[in-house]
Amino acid sequence: MNCELKDIPSLGLMGIVLHKVMQRAKEMYKEFDLNGSQASILFTLHRRDAMSQKELASHLNVTPPSITSSIQKMEKDGYLTRHPDEADQRVLRLTLTEKGRTCVSKVVTVASQMEGLMFREMNPEEKLLFRRLLIQIYENLELEQSTERTDRL
């Protein structure tokens, strides 16, 4: 890249960094034949146990159709299963298989390695500040989006 990073506006810099992080994560997750979206699904189901596709999508802040192909691939590859909800047979619940649960511990190791790369030479206070700033940016954008929705009504 010919530009100096210090000369790039924050939004552009965030895009460049995110792209680099996603490239590296993709390389690291290749061992599991999972992309970042599928790893997120894996972690969410690990923490939440059984969820419908609608609940999972809401938790991941995406639309249900946008994760359909990931779910289908993960089911085909044996990471998760779908089964009818006991209370409402129209709803399918997603749960991890044994292969999915085993994979979680390996993915945790990869995620830890990724964080080690990202935060190398940063002290705990800097890591905490970075996390707090990301959360603040997210909350600012959520508030603005929520305000736009209210204004349209």
Side-chain angles (χ1 to χ4, degrees):
M1 178 172 285
N2 293 335
C3 301
E4 295 231 8
L5 290 178
K6 66 179 180 57
D7 297 330
I8 298 174
S10 297
L11 182 61
L13 186 56
M14 285 173 53
I16 290 167
V17 170
L18 181 59
H19 180 74
K20 190 157 285 288
V21 166
M22 296 310 288
Q23 276 184 315
R24 185 64 180 114
K26 185 177 178 181
E27 290 170 17
M28 295 172 84
Y29 286 125
K30 190 176 253 180
E31 168 189 348
F32 309 108
D33 195 26
L34 294 172
N35 61 35
S37 171
Q38 293 165 332
S40 296
I41 290 169
L42 196 71
F43 275 110
T44 301
L45 290 175
H46 175 69
R47 285 191 306 269
R48 300 282 184 135
D49 200 23
M51 298 176 84
S52 70
Q53 183 171 338
K54 184 177 179 181
E55 292 166 338
L56 179 62
S58 175
H59 184 79
L60 295 173
N61 206 22
V62 297
T63 63
S66 70
I67 59 172
T68 298
S69 62
S70 291
I71 289 170
Q72 289 171 341
K73 183 176 184 333
M74 292 176 75
E75 183 177 29
K76 181 177 150 249
D77 292 346
Y79 289 107
L80 58 82
T81 60
R82 297 183 224 214
H83 54 88
D85 184 281
E86 292 177 15
D88 185 349
Q89 296 291 308
R90 297 170 298 171
V91 175
L92 290 176
R93 294 268 166 210
L94 303 168
T95 56
L96 293 180
T97 61
E98 186 58 39
K99 178 180 179 180
R101 285 188 290 277
T102 301
C103 186
V104 167
S105 64
K106 294 177 182 176
V107 171
V108 166
T109 301
V110 170
S112 178
Q113 291 169 347
M114 187 66 199
E115 283 202 16
L117 287 171
M118 289 174 20
F119 297 121
R120 185 176 35 221
E121 297 186 25
M122 288 188 197
N123 65 44
E125 292 79 17
E126 290 169 325
K127 293 177 196 177
L128 203 56
L129 175 61
F130 179 75
R131 185 171 175 77
R132 189 188 68 70
L133 292 172
L134 286 176
I135 291 168
Q136 184 64 55
I137 291 168
Y138 176 84
E139 288 173 351
N140 290 345
L141 294 171
E142 278 292 303
L143 179 63
E144 189 266 341
Q145 188 177 25
S146 148
T147 303
E148 278 184 2
R149 275 190 230 123
T150 304
D151 289 347
R152 284 188 291 232
L153 298 177

